[in-house]
Amino acid sequence: EMLVVCVEAHHEVVPWLHLAMRARLVPFAGWTLVHVDAHPDLAALADAAVCASPRQLVDFLDESEYGIAEWILPLVFSGHVAAMTWVRPAFATGLPDGDRVIEVGASRATGALRVDCDEPYFREDGAVATDLTAARRLALRVGLDFRVDGSAAWVLDVCLDYFACLDPFDGNPDERRATPLPAGGAAGSAEIEAALAAFRDLVERSGARRHPPRLVTIARSVRDGYTPEALGDELEQGVLAVLGEVFATSSTLRVVRDLDGDGPTADDVAAWRNLAKQQQQQQHTTVVR
């Protein structure tokens, strides 16, 4: 089975990622995040100390005005994510295409989570510092596609605003940004169909069929105003259909919809741990054979 978790606000995937690591469905450290999204979501927390406690981190993200963009760097700082590919739509240019390695650590002066990368995206966020402590490296790739080769466990993360994106702050005089938020993509059913077909080709070309992800997370981002409300349900069902088609020969989808952001229940914890045991037994049987 392939686990798929669908949430509303993007940071609400974090408790599910923590559960996947605790259940050993995803390694505790060193995995790759493939982030298919109109935004990089690499904003920096004001307090790096909350990363030490999963519960404190989740609470902090819930309360933060920018939690939906701040959830990835804590996973790097905690040693979980070692590499990330931001798969961007053509209309999004928050970071230049290419590869770079960035350091993610706590600022000695302020205690805030900061990076050593002096690109405009991080500079505008006030996230650049040179006095980092307990820093971790992130191999970051930005581009229109991605590749997986089985050398590392990976998680596929999809935001529906990748397909159709609004700028919820457009026209608000109180929001003055040096770099406007991206907006573009599909505007109706015909364009959605084409966008989903392109997404299927993207996943097929990546090698994901041969090396499937350990977990898939989907963020609707409708409530936050990034994904058009009229298109949210159609896009969600379309992405699930693509996943079902691409991975039909190797897995069946087990979909969890946590649209209220409540996080895993006791039943979810038990079910995921049981699934992990089944997978380990299958791997053991394959090795013995």
Side-chain angles (χ1 to χ4, degrees):
E1 288 183 311
M2 176 176 293
L3 288 171
V4 182
V5 177
C6 184
V7 300
E8 184 55 59
H10 212 148
H11 69 280
E12 291 167 352
V13 303
V14 172
W16 294 96
L17 291 169
H18 285 153
L19 172 58
M21 289 185 284
R22 291 200 310 274
R24 300 185 181 180
L25 291 163
V26 173
F28 181 80
W31 48 273
T32 296
L33 179 68
V34 175
H35 180 64
V36 182
D37 196 317
H39 311 87
D41 290 349
L42 292 171
L45 293 181
D47 184 4
V50 301
C51 299
S53 165
R55 187 177 298 277
Q56 287 184 22
L57 173 60
V58 169
D59 289 344
F60 188 97
L61 292 171
D62 278 339
E63 295 169 6
S64 172
E65 182 180 0
Y66 304 107
I68 56 173
E70 295 173 328
W71 62 276
I72 295 177
L73 289 184
L75 296 174
V76 177
F77 184 57
S78 298
H80 305 312
V81 174
M84 170 183 160
T85 298
W86 175 36
V87 184
R88 63 174 184 84
F91 60 81
T93 56
L95 283 166
D97 288 353
D99 296 345
R100 71 273 279 157
V101 175
I102 67 175
E103 298 273 341
V104 181
S107 167
R108 294 179 189 274
T110 67
L113 199 61
R114 293 292 181 256
V115 301
D116 70 344
C117 182
D118 193 32
E119 295 189 34
Y121 173 86
F122 297 107
R123 217 167 39 241
E124 182 181 336
D125 188 40
V128 182
T130 57
D131 62 340
L132 302 182
T133 183
R136 304 272 191 171
R137 287 189 173 185
L138 173 67
L140 174 62
R141 171 170 292 181
V142 178
L144 297 173
D145 58 9
F146 71 101
R147 296 288 184 273
V148 290
D149 59 9
S151 61
W154 67 289
V155 170
L156 175 61
D157 173 67
V158 182
C159 184
L160 299 186
D161 70 11
Y162 170 84
F163 304 96
C165 186
L166 303 173
D167 178 356
F169 302 104
D170 185 32
N172 184 347
D174 295 329
E175 285 287 338
R176 296 184 176 88
R177 296 173 179 268
T179 305
L181 291 174
S189 294
E191 292 177 342
I192 286 176
E193 185 176 349
L196 290 169
F199 175 64
R200 175 174 178 164
D201 291 343
L202 172 73
V203 178
E204 289 274 16
R205 291 194 309 269
S206 72
R209 186 189 290 271
R210 295 187 302 276
H211 309 289
R214 300 287 185 91
L215 175 68
V216 179
T217 53
I218 299 173
R220 287 168 52 89
S221 296
V222 171
R223 192 169 58 224
D224 294 319
Y226 292 95
T227 302
E229 183 175 5
L231 306 181
D233 291 345
E234 186 176 356
L235 284 169
E236 179 188 342
Q237 293 305 313
V239 170
L240 290 174
V242 167
L243 296 174
E245 293 165 5
V246 172
F247 299 111
T249 58
S250 60
S251 306
T252 57
L253 303 186
R254 180 189 288 191
V255 181
V256 178
R257 298 183 85 239
D258 178 23
L259 303 190
D260 293 327
D262 295 329
T265 65
D267 288 343
D268 293 320
V269 173
W272 284 35
R273 287 177 174 167
N274 185 55
L275 179 59
K277 289 179 182 178
Q278 293 176 6
Q279 291 180 354
Q280 290 167 5
Q281 290 170 355
Q282 290 171 355
Q283 292 170 358
H284 177 70
T285 301
T286 302
V287 170
V288 170
R289 288 176 180 171

